[in-house]
Amino acid sequence: MTTVFLVDDHRLFLSGVSAELADSFEVVGQSDDVDTAVDMIRAVRPDVVLVDVHMPGGGGATVVGNVLETHPDVRFLALSVSDAPEDVIAMIRTGARGYVTKSIAPNELKDAINRVAAGEAVFSPSLAGFVLDAFSRSVPVDEDPELDRLTPREKEVLRQIARGYQYKQIARRLNISIKTVETHVSSVLRKLQLSNRHELARWASDRRIV
Amino acid sequence: MLAGVAGGLAESAGLSPIYVRAAFVSLSLAGGVGIILYVVLALVVPDTPDGEPDDISSPATRMQIAGLALMFVALMLILQAVGLWLGAVVWPTTLVVFGLAIAIETSGINYERSLEGVTTGRRSWWLVIGGLGMMVAGLVVVLRSLDRLQSFGVLAIALIVALGGFMIVAGPWLWSLIEDLRTERRARIRSEEKAEVAAHLHDSVLQTLALIQRTDDPKKMVTLARSQERDLRSWLFDENSTDTDSILGALTSAATRVEAAHDVPISVVVVGEASLPSDKQEALISAATEAMMNAAKHSGAAKVSVYAEMANGAIDVYVTDQGAGFDRDSVGEDRRGIRESIEARMQRHGGSTTIESIAGEGTEVQLTMNGATS
């Protein structure tokens, strides 16, 4: 069974999610603060860590960054009430493999955890929207233009995600295999994590002001 | 405040220490007599054990104060006659110093405390030490040049000395005055902000929580919670999403209304930025609202997605549900929503509509409006 670790400073939320996941996953631990979380995750080495974005003591990004430094095989799925672009982008860029909001339906959350455990990326409709927006605005100034642009196919997949379709439906609608959908999304994740930092950071802060 | 001489004298005379300090400052200008007097007293007068004042005098009467004031003036006059005098600046300075002392005393500011606050900071200690140093240096020069009586130089030095004294006496007070004002302002701003937050929470969150407690229908609860969440979020993070002039704002507010009416969550994602002439925008938003209504009312889907993309002079809005789907031919004539409220409306304003629906899988309504400017 896939092992899951929960990090959230809201205890009520921790116990709720923990109960929700109990029948499909092995919840191997939970923590409500950044430092303890890092130590515990290093000790128990879960398959997937569900991590809240806003926490005292550095927030979820600190947990992700610190753990990945020593244990690059642990996979993170960010879970937050915030839909603010800079939060989403910050989590993804530190190394989270996906981002979903806390209002996600339980079965969709389970689906997302399985996907992250399998090494894929998970984009919520709003994250897909952010990425499309960010990449359509940024003018390539990078030495590596491949990282700064999305292929037409990747864009199409993101559009379908933004319109609320599941991978299975996207595969059928675009006449490709689910595996190909997953490959496109993972490739977008990689571009998101590696492309020109300044552009994305500026985009995120612009979005906040506009 | 240094050796406690002024405080001790003031206590036994029943005066506020600040007047005694002012007197010392003035006497210092009279050829440094004040400093010498202070040092001598500091050495001669025995220390009072802390927290155990040896005798607590009643506050001085008016007569006593007048007597002390006369004695002080007489002493100053004697010093002037003897020649221990720094010239024309002494009397004005004395007036200024006492004026300040009275101002501080009557202003009700705790001078001792604020001075302590100032001198605990390292930089402030340097200020005080610097002020004292200036004073001492000035006096040394004055005493050495007294017999030469070069009036201009003496005057300048006396000014510097007076200024140093002024800094020491009034600096902490001015500082504490500024600090007090700033603290008060901050407190006022904070309390105003708090009141505003409280008012908003009361009107929105508390009302919704009360409603949720009175509801038995779990679906209704979810809708209430969601619409409150959306409202609070837009209030906290993004004031613009409540601006119904923008496409994002208009779609979001339409989604909120439909959501509240039909208890189905609707997510809105918008990519890009563009604006339409107002009639076109109105038509597009109305058509999108109608499509959301249909999805929420008839599809039976657990949620509805709205996705808008603005690029190349056109705006595409997709309203998607994964519900029952429908067959256009079997839709009764009484349901004119699609043909009139969506298709005809879009067409009249130069737009187009594509509806894709598969029974059992869901419906997607695509609305395209040209003529957008970014």
Side-chain angles (χ1 to χ4, degrees), chain B residues 82-93:
Chain B
V82 168
L84 282 170
W85 201 247
L86 292 184
V89 286
V90 177
W91 283 119
T93 311

Side-chain angles (χ1 to χ4, degrees), chain A residues 143-184:
Chain A
E143 316 77 57
D144 191 352
E146 194 259 327
L147 279 178
D148 233 354
R149 252 183 243 127
L150 299 177
T151 67
R153 214 51 172 165
E154 286 163 355
K155 275 190 201 160
E156 196 45 50
V157 168
L158 286 178
R159 278 195 197 102
Q160 300 285 335
I161 294 174
R163 275 145 72 177
Y165 290 110
Q166 306 293 313
Y167 286 16
K168 195 173 63 192
Q169 294 164 307
I170 296 169
R172 201 174 52 228
R173 289 170 64 86
L174 300 180
N175 276 323
I176 50 180
S177 70
I178 294 183
K179 201 79 222 142
T180 312
V181 176
E182 288 165 359
T183 311
H184 285 312

Side-chain angles (χ1 to χ4, degrees), chain B residues 145-156:
Chain B
S145 61
L146 258 185
D147 39 4
R148 274 183 256 156
L149 280 174
Q150 286 169 326
S151 61
F152 178 74
V154 172
L155 195 70

